[in-house]
Amino acid sequence: MQLGAKRWLFGAVLVALGVSALSGHFNRYYLGVAIDVGISIILAASLNLINGYTGQFSLGHAGFMAVGGFTAAKLTLLLAPIVPEAAHPALFAGSILVGGTVAALAGLAVGLPSLRLRGDYLAIVTLGFGEIIRVIFQTSETFGAATGLTGIPKFTTLFWTWGVAALTVYVVASLVNSTYGRGFLCVHDDEVAAAAMGISPTRYKVTAFVTGAFFAGMAGALYAHHKQVLKPDGFDFMKSIDIVVMVILGGMGNTVGVILAAVLLTVLPELLRGLADYRMILYSLLIIGLMLTRPQGLFTLRRRVDRSRTAN
Amino acid sequence: MQRCTIRFGGLTAVSELDLHIGGDELIGLIGPNGAGKTTAFNMITGVYQPTEGEIHFGGTSLAGQAPQEITGLGIARTFQNIRLFPSLSVFDNVRVAFQLRQKTGLFQSLLRGAAFKRNEQQIESEVLEILDIFKLGRFRHTMSKNLPYGDQRRLEIVRALATKPRLLLLDEPAAGMNPTEKTELTRLIGFIKDKFRISVLLVEHDMKVVMGICERIVVLDHGIKIAEGSPSEVRNDIKVVEAYLGDKHLKKAAADADSSPAD
Ligand SMILES: Nc1ncnc2c1ncn2[C@@H]1O[C@H](COP(=O)(O)OP(=O)(O)OP(=O)(O)O)[C@@H](O)[C@H]1O
Ligand SMILES: [Mg+2]
């Protein structure tokens, strides 16, 4: 990740573009799942910055996703009819950015007052935030109240989704792999010691929240223009739990593991459609089993290489 | 530090403490358990705000400043119960100290331009240099929690020095060390003071260490300053002798862990 990180990002976007160009030949169902996978990766990788690297416990990611999704969808619903067809990709790009930005502002609004809180308390506040967001959309006529928004233009392609997913992974990985970004891990390890090193725990926590929310908002925008209907119900706290499970399963603060977990937990339910009703029970069992056998996460081999034994 | 008092509920942990530290001075702060030494550190570093009194550092008032701002002004510290970043490598524990005084931040980390890379390389070589000075270079990939105890204490001092302080506060750096390690630590503190030309305020229960290197010693008992002077003056001060004789379990208790938030 140190060398050629930008080249890696460029390559990933090219792959997304190539695959996307061929996507006309793909089975529509598989294409849909591939887009779902990309969206899950964005959500999980961005939550990993907050919950994994910075060690905060946010249960509000679905709330940020909803903010981004509804904002972007409302925007394209209003503007798509009056903007010429040729400008639609630009409109879509703009709506993704606006969705992300508004979600980031929501992240700031939640992040600032909740910074004094830790662990369980922060989890409860973010959970409450997510539910409030959902209720606001459920009652707002502008956003279609309980029925939500329908007839959203189908703008989301594999290219957009995987492109944003690559960007998310790049941003999180580059942030963490820098002298500046090691501060997130310090806040995770010990806030008092971090402050004594001149690291402002508050600034880092807010940055993590805002950055995480920004990408969750973009994921929401992609989701809206993929499914074409947005219902507030889809963003309840179960959705937040889904994302938290990906982060825990992948191993907190392990980007590769979290990506694998996002893929697994998006594809698996598709394979087990018949068991959909039992999903939450399966998830709970999965987490309990994991905590008992592999508390470091399914995909974490050994956290950050330790070569102490080879040094003499 | 002028007439500083701090109360926790009904308890006055430190009472009207005056303390002046000159440039390049090595001062010892001693006293029986619970005398208020760590609390004095916590007031200087902004972990606690004094209930009364003021603290100035190089002409700047520290009132209302957050711990990270005070570190930025040039005061660094270690903790009585080592507080390294356990999941970070030895290298990274020192590296993070450099984010305080570097020019690149969030956006440069994302753009990864030439200036960013040069800056990161510069930091890397400075980290390796300071690790080598303190003979920790070979441990650079080791997770700090896996380091031997004495080396953890040393790493915490190195990490504090890496913030480029003008005043270094050491809270019982010799605790838990064997006599050989203590002798080495004593040499190390003298070396740091000369090489980095900084002032040091040393809290330590081990009298051999304190008497050996401190130019001036301040004695606290029950939050009150009972004596101040050169090592020989303090050693012969009747109040000091009484305070210590009254505390027979000093040695044993000194080794006990303390559970207050920033020890
Ligand atoms: N956060 C706090 N809340 C309440 N009381 C506190 C707090 N911090 C310290 N104290 C009390 O203040 C007094 C001074 O404690 P302090 O830790 O400063 O002593 P010390 O001189 O460092 O002792 P030791 O040699 O054991 O480290 C003690 O009675 C302690 O219980
Ligand atoms: Mg103490």
Side-chain angles (χ1 to χ4, degrees):
Chain A
M1 193 61 221
Q2 243 76 341
L3 271 179
K6 268 188 289 191
R7 230 170 292 159
W8 177 89
L9 173 67
F10 189 61
V13 172
L14 272 187
V15 169
L17 191 62
V19 177
S20 198
L22 297 172
S23 63
H25 305 292
F26 295 166
N27 176 317
R28 288 185 60 84
Y29 171 72
Y30 291 131
L31 191 64
V33 174
I35 291 177
D36 288 341
V37 165
I39 292 172
S40 294
I41 291 175
I42 302 170
L43 290 168
S46 57
L47 185 67
N48 191 28
L49 180 64
I50 305 172
N51 287 26
Y53 290 114
T54 319
Q56 307 304 297
F57 194 16
S58 170
L59 273 175
H61 228 47
F64 297 130
M65 186 187 177
V67 171
F70 276 96
T71 308
K74 191 73 201 172
L75 205 65
T76 51
L77 278 173
L78 285 176
L79 295 180
I82 51 175
V83 165
E85 190 109 356
H88 278 182
L91 171 66
F92 184 42
S95 80
I96 295 177
L97 279 180
V98 172
T101 308
V102 176
L105 291 175
L108 189 66
V110 189
L112 277 178
S114 356
L115 285 166
R116 294 157 185 281
L117 306 173
R118 258 156 238 225
D120 317 349
Y121 297 102
L122 182 64
I124 290 166
V125 168
T126 51
L127 183 99
F129 154 79
E131 290 298 288
I132 290 169
I133 290 289
R134 189 171 57 83
V135 171
I136 289 177
F137 285 125
Q138 225 153 29
T139 48
S140 153
E141 292 298 331
T142 328
F143 291 99
T147 28
L149 296 175
T150 51
I152 304 164
K154 189 157 182 78
F155 284 157
T156 301
T157 61
L158 208 54
F159 164 68
W160 282 108
T161 320
W162 285 13
V164 174
L167 185 71
T168 313
V169 172
Y170 170 80
V171 164
V172 173
S174 322
L175 268 190
V176 174
N177 285 303
S178 68
T179 300
Y180 163 80
R182 280 289 188 251
F184 291 106
L185 301 164
C186 294
V187 172
H188 169 278
D189 274 9
D190 187 333
E191 280 183 39
V192 173
M197 298 308 287
I199 291 164
S200 163
T202 312
R203 267 223 348 249
Y204 275 88
K205 284 195 237 172
V206 172
T207 306
F209 258 96
V210 170
T211 311
F214 178 70
F215 285 105
M218 297 221 279
L222 291 163
Y223 179 85
H225 297 84
H226 170 47
K227 302 287 181 200
Q228 297 181 274
V229 281
L230 267 197
K231 283 182 137 213
D233 290 353
F235 301 100
D236 61 358
F237 89 102
M238 289 300 186
K239 179 71 193 167
S240 290
I241 301 265
D242 278 359
I243 312 167
V244 169
V245 172
M246 289 173 192
V247 173
I248 295 177
L249 186 71
M252 305 263 227
N254 167 1
T255 299
V256 176
V258 166
I259 293 172
L260 290 176
V263 175
L264 184 72
L265 289 183
T266 312
V267 174
L268 209 57
E270 292 295 326
L271 299 177
L272 305 174
R273 273 196 170 253
L275 299 174
D277 291 343
Y278 304 102
R279 200 182 46 153
M280 271 304 156
I281 300 175
L282 288 175
Y283 271 25
S284 317
L285 290 176
L286 188 67
I287 296 243
I288 294 170
L290 199 66
M291 287 300 119
L292 291 176
T293 55
R294 285 188 72 85
Q296 73 275 42
L298 203 54
F299 299 111
T300 302
L301 290 176
R302 206 160 2 119
R303 207 171 165 213
R304 272 169 232 126
V305 199
D306 183 353
R307 274 171 274 180
S308 56
R309 260 152 287 174
T310 59
N312 41 23
Chain B
M1 184 160 184
Q2 284 158 9
R3 303 183 66 79
C4 276
T5 299
I6 184 162
R7 296 190 192 93
F8 298 110
L11 177 92
T12 306
V14 172
S15 172
E16 306 209 337
L17 175 65
D18 281 312
L19 185 64
H20 180 267
I21 305 168
D24 259 2
E25 253 191 315
L26 205 172
I27 296 180
L29 180 61
I30 63 171
N33 284 113
K37 306 177 296 290
T38 299
T39 305
F41 269 28
N42 284 339
M43 285 196 284
I44 299 173
T45 54
V47 176
Y48 299 142
Q49 292 291 327
T51 320
E52 285 158 33
E54 296 175 19
I55 306 173
H56 291 270
F57 180 67
T60 319
S61 167
L62 300 188
Q65 305 244 33
Q68 62 269 18
E69 293 165 336
I70 290 173
T71 310
L73 291 173
I75 302 181
R77 71 176 292 182
T78 64
F79 295 90
Q80 186 167 349
N81 297 334
I82 308 173
R83 297 185 85 134
L84 292 166
F85 303 114
S87 72
L88 293 189
S89 67
V90 167
F91 178 85
D92 277 339
N93 263 276
V94 179
R95 179 189 184 192
V96 294
F98 285 84
Q99 77 72 49
L100 178 65
R101 304 198 193 283
Q102 69 169 339
K103 292 141 263 144
T104 65
L106 186 132
F107 289 104
Q108 288 87 342
S109 310
L110 293 181
L111 297 175
R112 309 206 147 224
F116 167 81
K117 283 186 187 141
R118 240 180 293 124
N119 190 49
E120 293 283 295
Q121 271 160 14
Q122 171 72 24
I123 289 173
E124 180 175 338
S125 63
E126 282 185 46
V127 172
L128 292 178
E129 188 186 323
I130 195 166
L131 282 178
D132 280 339
I133 294 176
F134 293 94
K135 302 191 176 64
L136 286 167
R138 69 195 168 106
F139 289 124
R140 65 174 172 272
H141 298 298
T142 309
M143 256 202 253
S144 68
K145 68 173 171 205
N146 296 339
L147 216 53
Y149 181 82
D151 290 322
Q152 289 197 13
R153 283 246 175 248
R154 219 141 35 96
L155 175 60
E156 210 192 8
I157 298 175
V158 175
R159 187 182 69 169
L161 276 175
T163 65
K164 303 195 168 70
R166 283 184 289 147
L167 169 62
L168 178 64
L169 311 179
L170 301 175
D171 201 346
E172 301 196 22
M177 286 186 169
N178 63 36
T180 331
E181 287 175 322
K182 280 181 184 171
T183 316
E184 203 199 315
L185 178 83
T186 311
R187 269 216 326 270
L188 190 75
I189 295 172
F191 167 77
I192 288 170
K193 187 187 154 259
D194 294 338
K195 169 148 177 110
F196 295 88
R197 313 203 126 272
I198 58 177
S199 318
V200 179
L201 180 61
L202 172 70
V203 164
E204 185 50 65
H205 278 297
D206 190 287
M207 286 307 142
K208 247 177 83 187
V209 175
V210 179
M211 297 294 170
I213 46 174
C214 292
E215 293 144 19
R216 186 152 57 88
I217 293 174
V218 173
V219 190
L220 280 186
D221 188 23
H222 296 296
I224 298 164
K225 180 158 89 179
I226 55 167
E228 176 166 5
S230 69
S232 57
E233 283 166 11
V234 164
R235 208 189 334 238
N236 299 319
D237 191 299
I238 183 77
K239 275 190 279 183
V240 177
V241 175
E242 273 174 4
Y244 272 93
L245 285 181
D247 195 332
K248 284 177 192 134
H249 305 293
L250 185 69
K251 276 267 159 57
K252 181 192 156 292
D256 287 350
D258 197 329
S259 58
S260 54
D263 273 6

